[in-house]
Amino acid sequence: MGLFDRFTRAKARTVSSEMSDARHLADWARSRYGVEAYVEPETTVTELTVVLVAANGEWTRRKVGGERGARRLGQELHIPVYDVRKTGYPQRMRDYDARQRIERRRARAREFE
């Protein structure tokens, strides 16, 4: 094992994880209707991510390799790409989350009956 081997392995893992994230996003977008991409800024805790939101409000979030990666993903999938800082999240995404919370609460209540 060479002195710099551990650095090259770590980079290889990062690239493969970014590719699997991009593959997940592409598969997810192709299996849903009315998908839009929302680019989230980098924070002190997380890297820049993209959120894909379907027409029914269902969503998924992944890293995409920066701003250019998000724009490239949008071009490849033929979907619009928005900046969350400028547009905010779509209301349908919040509505979907609210519906999911209600369904989880009802499921828990049924367990205790």
Side-chain angles (χ1 to χ4, degrees), residues 69-86:
R71 300 290 172 192
R72 186 174 44 248
L73 180 73
Q75 288 176 347
E76 290 172 4
L77 298 175
H78 305 290
I79 60 174
V81 179
Y82 303 106
D83 187 343
V84 164
R85 291 172 289 193
K86 295 177 182 173

Side-chain angles (χ1 to χ4, degrees), residues 16 24 57 65 67 108:
S16 68
H24 165 78
E67 180 82 26
R108 277 193 304 257

Side-chain angles (χ1 to χ4, degrees), residues 80-96:
V81 179
Y82 303 106
D83 187 343
V84 164
R85 291 172 289 193
K86 295 177 182 173
T87 63
Y89 294 101
Q91 183 62 45
R92 67 182 181 277
M93 183 178 167
R94 291 187 289 274
D95 294 342
Y96 179 84

Side-chain angles (χ1 to χ4, degrees), residues 28-106:
W28 193 90
R30 289 184 186 112
S31 66
R32 284 154 181 87
Y33 173 76
V35 175
E36 297 174 333
Y38 291 85
V39 179
E40 297 179 312
E42 181 177 356
T43 67
T44 56
V45 180
T46 62
E47 296 177 31
L48 185 136
T49 55
V50 68
V51 176
L52 297 185
V53 182
N56 67 350
E58 184 181 6
W59 59 274
T60 187
R61 173 185 290 123
R62 294 287 190 278
K63 295 183 279 186
V64 290
E67 180 82 26
R68 287 198 304 192
R71 300 290 172 192
R72 186 174 44 248
L73 180 73
Q75 288 176 347
E76 290 172 4
L77 298 175
H78 305 290
I79 60 174
V81 179
Y82 303 106
D83 187 343
V84 164
R85 291 172 289 193
K86 295 177 182 173
T87 63
Y89 294 101
Q91 183 62 45
R92 67 182 181 277
M93 183 178 167
R94 291 187 289 274
D95 294 342
Y96 179 84
D97 285 343
R99 285 191 308 271
Q100 294 302 306
R101 276 192 298 275
I102 290 168
E103 289 177 14
R104 283 192 300 269
R105 241 182 270 133
R106 287 178 182 168

